[in-house]
Amino acid sequence: MVLTEDQKALQESARRFARERLLPDYQKREKLGVLDRDLLREMGRLGLIGVDLPERLGGLGADAVTTGIIAEELAYGDFNVSAVPVGVSLNAAILIRHAQPAVVEEWVPRMIRGEAVVAICLTEPRGGSDASNLQLRARRDGDHYIINGEKTSITFADRADAYLIFARTGRPEDGAKGVSAFFIPAETPGIQRTHFDDVGSAIIGRGSVFFDDVKVPASHRLGDEGKGFTQVMQGFDYSRALIALQCCGAAQASLDEAWAYAQEREAFGRPIGQFQGVSFPLAEGESHIAAVRQLSYHALALRDAGQPHTAEAAMVKWMGPKTAFDVIHQCLLTFGHYGWSKDLPHQQRMRDVMGLEIGDGTAGIMKLVIARHRIGRAAVQ
Ligand SMILES: Cc1cc2nc3c(=O)[nH]c(=O)nc-3n(C[C@H](O)[C@H](O)[C@H](O)COP(=O)(O)OP(=O)(O)OC[C@H]3O[C@@H](n4cnc5c(N)ncnc54)[C@H](O)[C@@H]3O)c2cc1C
């Protein structure tokens, strides 16, 4: 992919920030398990959050490819921190498209400045893959809705400032057609949240959000009643390609470290990089990551050109985390016994990228999307 001068400048700025500010404390942040709000504000000041959002709201009005470049570069330094701008690009775009102007004016600039984190709540205890088959209830009550139910497995659950939720306003038998979306500030009475003890990504966290008679003004509904699911779900093609690029960034960091080590570590009287048993698996990793990267940027370029990219986004969404996991694993092995230590970042990167083999849709569901793209609803079963 050939970058424009503007893209190169932003890439350079994100790269410097990722390598100087993020990478040195990647593991320290994970041990603390805290989302560093000062760091997010610093990223906001540097223009690294919401680059694709309109300038009038604080963004740079950049394209999807540029947003992908930032996601990849930041993930090189800290996979979990890079999830924040990806979430902002997804959620703020939903607000801009579907929320009342007052909600947009109040929240989107704060998100771009790194001052507000919004969680997107779709999954429920009964399941996430069959996403439209949800039960959390929103009952109309005059000019309000009353929300009751539980969302679970929600990224940022206990640290979000607001929630973008999907609730059933119609009958269960109406499926996706009976679902509406709402925007709910976290301090709204009746909300409780929990925190899960996860395999990775501790700083962004995951948990359940409980809604107990939560009163939401009708003006906080996103899109039309009963159309929230179909309208809002469209943004996921975008975040899927961005997630794949996050995975490429994390894998590239491990690859770079493994190549460096292969040149300095000696065995049998020579640098281990001279053994094809060491260098070829890394060369394969470079190849696989380059392929996922190019397809991810292709999906984003299609998006920028206003062309369909659902299948491409689904392809990289399943390949990205899996390929990155395998490549990082190989890098860990390159370090021999040192790789097995938590002092090195490879084990953490493996755990972090693995989460996205499930989050935002599993490989099984992505393959279903691709199959549907080829043979239509015949591929549903
Ligand atoms: C790190 C992480 C972050 C997450 N963040 C969020 C978030 O912010 N917001 C949110 O709403 N949710 C979030 N989730 C939840 C995630 O979207 C769901 O876990 C996911 O959609 C799968 O749903 P499930 O776990 O209920 O699995 P199930 O739907 O119960 O599926 C179980 C298994 O069956 C497979 N399966 C199910 N149906 C099919 C089929 N038709 N064909 C093939 N295989 C199938 C699945 O692939 C999976 O392997 C997150 C999850 C993780 C791990």
Side-chain angles (χ1 to χ4, degrees):
M1 194 187 50
V2 181
L3 303 187
T4 65
E5 289 308 312
D6 282 353
Q7 286 170 337
K8 277 189 206 156
L10 265 171
Q11 182 183 45
E12 184 48 38
S13 148
R15 183 168 290 180
R16 201 173 327 115
F17 181 79
R19 293 173 197 220
E20 291 173 7
R21 291 284 290 117
L22 298 183
L23 189 58
D25 290 333
Y26 171 51
Q27 290 161 269
K28 193 169 148 201
R29 269 189 296 278
E30 182 73 2
K31 273 195 192 120
L32 291 173
V34 176
L35 187 62
D36 184 344
R37 296 293 190 133
D38 288 339
L39 191 65
L40 298 190
R41 279 188 278 270
E42 189 179 339
M43 286 165 62
R45 281 195 298 278
L46 288 170
L48 296 173
I49 303 178
V51 292
D52 51 341
L53 298 168
E55 289 177 75
R56 69 177 178 84
L57 295 168
L60 301 178
D63 57 14
V65 167
T66 309
T67 311
I69 292 169
I70 305 281
E72 184 184 354
E73 291 298 336
L74 293 179
Y76 188 104
D78 188 321
F79 185 78
N80 301 314
V81 169
S82 75
V84 172
V86 169
V88 169
S89 289
L90 173 68
N91 296 331
I94 290 172
L95 292 182
I96 290 167
R97 221 172 301 130
H98 302 296
Q100 297 284 334
V103 173
V104 174
E105 305 297 331
E106 180 184 349
W107 283 89
V108 174
R110 288 179 58 200
M111 293 161 76
I112 295 173
R113 289 198 298 266
E115 292 169 3
V117 171
V118 175
I120 190 155
C121 308
L122 188 57
T123 305
E124 297 187 359
R126 67 183 287 180
S129 300
D130 188 5
S132 66
N133 184 19
L134 54 86
Q135 288 185 326
L136 184 127
R137 187 86 209 148
R139 178 175 53 82
R140 184 88 194 212
D141 182 21
D143 54 0
H144 283 79
Y145 286 86
I146 308 296
I147 316 269
N148 278 291
E150 177 187 353
K151 291 292 181 185
T152 195
S153 188
I154 304 304
T155 300
F156 300 121
D158 67 334
R159 46 207 75 181
D161 303 292
Y163 300 99
L164 206 158
I165 72 151
F166 293 84
R168 185 156 296 286
T169 43
R171 299 172 310 167
E173 54 270 35
D174 292 338
K177 293 197 182 96
V179 172
S180 304
F182 297 90
F183 180 79
I184 312 179
E187 74 271 11
T188 310
I191 295 179
Q192 284 194 28
R193 55 244 196 125
T194 62
H195 178 75
F196 298 162
D197 184 14
D198 275 348
V199 173
S201 297
I203 69 163
I204 55 178
R206 203 173 57 101
S208 280
V209 186
F210 297 89
F211 298 84
D212 184 11
D213 279 339
V214 173
K215 199 172 172 186
V216 181
S219 59
H220 277 213
R221 194 186 65 226
L222 305 174
D224 304 324
E225 181 168 305
K227 292 198 180 151
F229 195 78
T230 38
Q231 288 170 343
V232 172
M233 280 299 276
Q234 288 165 7
F236 282 80
D237 288 342
Y238 188 23
S239 56
R240 283 172 185 162
L242 297 178
I243 284 169
L245 286 166
Q246 284 181 269
C247 294
C248 290
Q252 193 64 56
S254 279
L255 278 167
D256 289 354
E257 291 159 16
W259 282 121
Y261 187 70
Q263 292 173 79
E264 74 197 30
R265 177 74 169 177
E266 292 195 357
F268 301 96
R270 61 178 74 175
I272 57 170
Q274 287 187 14
F275 301 117
Q276 292 181 357
V278 172
S279 64
F280 279 18
L282 296 180
E284 286 169 19
E286 290 282 349
S287 314
H288 291 142
I289 290 299
V292 173
R293 176 186 292 122
Q294 292 309 316
L295 186 51
S296 304
Y297 282 120
H298 177 59
L300 294 176
L302 288 173
R303 181 182 177 83
D304 285 330
Q307 292 182 29
H309 52 288
T310 299
E312 290 80 1
M315 289 173 193
V316 293
K317 169 59 184 64
W318 79 260
M319 283 195 290
K322 175 158 180 43
T323 308
F325 181 91
D326 293 344
V327 168
I328 298 166
H329 178 219
Q330 188 58 48
C331 293
L332 182 151
L333 299 179
T334 305
F335 281 82
H337 74 89
Y338 295 112
W340 185 239
S341 162
K342 285 192 173 174
D343 289 346
L344 294 191
H346 311 292
Q347 43 75 35
Q348 188 183 323
R349 290 197 189 109
M350 281 172 68
R351 289 186 280 111
D352 288 346
V353 299
M354 195 205 311
L356 271 305
E357 288 193 71
I358 306 166
D360 213 84
T362 63
I365 297 307
M366 293 307 116
K367 290 170 193 176
L368 200 59
V369 171
I370 298 161
R372 267 191 207 148
H373 178 74
R374 294 306 308 265
I375 59 170
R377 303 300 289 186
V380 164
Q381 299 306 322

